[in-house]
Amino acid sequence: MNEGTARNVVLMRAIETADTKHEILSEDDRLYASRSARELANWQASEGKSAPSLDHFLQQRAELILKRLAERTPAFAAFVHRRPLMPLVAVLLPILGFIAGAGLDRIADPHRVDLLSPPLLLIIGWNLLVYLALIVWALIPSKTTGWASPQLLRRLAVGKNALPRKLPAPLAAGLGNYLADWSRLSAKLVHLRLGRTVHLAAAAFALGAIASLYARGMVNQYAAGWESTFLDAGQVHSLLSVLFAPALAMLPLQGFSLADIQALRFVQEPSPAGGARWVHLYAATLLLLVVLPRLVLALVSALRARRIAHRFPLDLEQPYFRLLADRVGASGPAVLRVVPYSFTMDEARHKGLATIAAMVLGEQAQLMLRPSSPYGEDPKDSLRDARLDDADVAITAAVFNLAATPERENHGAFLDYLVRGTPRGIAVLLDESSLVERGPDARLDERIALWREFCRYHRSTATVVNLLHPDKYPLELGSGLALSTAP
């Protein structure tokens, strides 16, 4: 699935899951889109003599749904055609970099080549520092986005946060969810593209400085030399020998001796002799230490971004996609792993869990019920044999009894352990059945509010269920289980 298709699919999912009452997409709309997309996916599969592809089905279904919404709501059509800022930044930043580099000599004497030119030394030194930082960053992996803030990546990925006016409430909510989802899912891709753009801008800045040196040399006669309060000729010679070593080693350029450096000190009468030599040395050094490395780094970032854009890493094992895959016949059995905490499941509640699994993962869903984790026991001990990163498990759900009182050191520690260790996130099920069995209780809403706030504090979202009567809270395509995100 490429980036464009993934973007439409994420937008479709956000809208459908927000429209729980089918106000903007009726059940007929959804069934028509699924049926038409399934026919197209099956046709493509028969043409290729292969099994139906979930990617093709999702692509066709998203296009049908988004097209129908755009026809009904002009404001939504304008939103769909809104373009992110990244393509504009990718063009403007290198151009601005070249212009800024070309104007660099304005802060120095345009009639002389300073062997210790602060602007040129700053360009080289800054880029060497950047290379060192990149090496350190590669050796010390981090989950953060580094120098690019999440807010910047979000702005580049989805543009401004403002939504169009005159949108139905469910559609506005869906678009808000989409902006959050897509900015998170595309963060790595945008980061690579931004890195590519910055590298190109740095290379363009150096090229602008080189072009400026040669352009002014065409109409001005450079006088080469140097001056310093603290450095003598020997020290300047040592510094320049290290600085120009790559250029002298790789290109047929004229070198220099200590006597040459002594003769070029500006306390003497400036001489135009040798000006071109130092222009060539600085230009070659900028080319070898700045332009070429930056172009290589830009190429690496571009190739990595291209790979992600062509194979966008959208997790199709999530409940929403599993249910759609089940309808098109493109999925195998999905597993719902249930991890109760201080809550023993009887046969009736076990059947309720199986019904919920079928609701959120399709008719082929399988239930994996783990033994209840004892109250107060360290989750590392009670879950030591659980592979929380098991790729065969579609959803891991923690189950609590709504009648229990949540405690940070027990229930909270259990949730934190699951959230940290489960890459796909976890669902939290709050079973109200035992509380409801006690009779009408005015505290039911208070209990639900308490548990939901508690789960939010522990980076998860609670879903209320009744395991004795699972149909009381239907978890269908439009209102599946909410999953936590890894910290």
Side-chain angles (χ1 to χ4, degrees), residues 337 386-393 396 421-424:
R337 174 171 55 193
R387 292 176 51 207
L388 297 181
D389 59 349
D390 189 349
D392 294 330
V393 174
T396 296
T422 311
R424 285 180 177 166

Side-chain angles (χ1 to χ4, degrees), residues 150-475:
Q151 294 76 16
L152 174 61
L153 296 181
R154 177 187 175 100
R155 188 65 184 269
L156 293 175
V158 298
K160 58 182 180 180
N161 292 327
L163 297 176
R165 299 180 179 180
K166 299 181 181 180
L167 287 175
L171 186 54
L175 294 185
N177 294 338
Y178 160 75
L179 292 177
D181 290 344
W182 185 248
S183 61
R184 175 177 53 84
L185 292 171
S186 64
K188 184 176 181 181
L189 177 59
V190 176
H191 190 273
L192 288 171
R193 287 174 172 167
L194 180 59
R196 175 203 62 192
T197 303
V198 170
H199 290 313
L200 288 176
F205 186 83
L207 286 173
I210 294 172
S212 176
L213 283 173
Y214 281 104
R216 286 200 168 270
M218 293 291 181
V219 295
N220 290 294
Q221 187 173 21
Y222 284 128
W226 64 276
E227 59 185 354
S228 174
T229 303
F230 303 104
L231 300 178
D232 58 27
Q235 292 171 323
V236 173
H237 178 265
S238 299
L239 175 63
L240 295 180
S241 296
V242 173
L243 179 64
F244 295 136
L248 293 172
M250 300 181 66
L251 298 173
L253 298 175
Q254 182 182 356
F256 52 89
S257 64
L258 178 58
D260 293 331
I261 300 298
Q262 290 174 332
L264 292 175
R265 191 160 190 169
F266 275 129
V267 295
Q268 306 170 25
E269 185 67 24
S271 171
R277 172 174 58 173
W278 299 102
V279 170
H280 297 328
L281 282 172
Y282 260 114
T285 301
L286 288 172
L287 184 67
L288 293 176
L289 296 185
V290 180
V291 176
L292 292 181
R294 288 289 193 165
L295 290 179
V296 170
L297 290 171
L299 178 61
V300 171
S301 296
L303 291 176
R304 292 177 61 192
R306 185 172 181 269
R307 183 171 65 250
I308 293 178
H310 281 74
R311 293 185 179 182
F312 196 86
L314 186 61
D315 186 6
L316 299 182
E317 295 298 319
Q318 296 177 7
Y320 172 87
F321 299 119
R322 294 293 312 202
L323 190 54
L324 285 177
D326 184 65
R327 292 182 178 181
V328 77
S331 70
V335 177
L336 172 65
R337 174 171 55 193
V338 175
V339 189
Y341 182 80
S342 186
F343 193 3
T344 302
M345 297 291 162
D346 54 22
E347 184 177 355
R349 289 181 172 85
H350 188 283
K351 291 182 179 178
L353 286 171
T355 301
I356 289 175
M359 285 181 182
V360 298
L361 294 175
E363 294 298 328
Q364 302 183 61
Q366 295 180 354
L367 177 66
M368 179 195 299
L369 179 59
R370 287 187 53 83
S372 176
S373 295
Y375 174 82
E377 184 172 337
D378 191 330
K380 293 181 180 179
D381 297 328
S382 60
L383 299 174
R384 61 180 177 273
D385 60 335
R387 292 176 51 207
L388 297 181
D389 59 349
D390 189 349
D392 294 330
V393 174
I395 303 176
T396 296
V399 180
F400 297 101
N401 190 336
L402 188 59
T405 300
E407 300 172 354
R408 185 172 62 179
E409 63 274 13
N410 293 309
H411 305 81
F414 184 75
L415 276 177
D416 290 340
Y417 182 80
L418 288 176
V419 170
R420 286 194 306 266
T422 311
R424 285 180 177 166
I426 67 165
V428 178
L429 302 180
L430 303 177
D431 179 31
E432 68 168 20
S433 58
S434 61
L435 198 59
V436 172
E437 281 181 331
R438 300 176 186 177
D441 189 347
R443 297 182 57 200
L444 181 62
D445 292 340
E446 296 178 9
R447 280 278 173 179
I448 293 175
L450 174 65
W451 268 100
R452 282 180 169 163
E453 182 63 28
F454 179 81
C455 290
R456 277 195 295 269
Y457 179 79
H458 291 279
R459 302 185 302 275
S460 55
T461 303
T463 302
V464 178
V465 296
N466 189 314
L467 295 182
L468 296 181
H469 304 286
D471 293 335
K472 180 179 178 180
Y473 299 104
L475 300 171

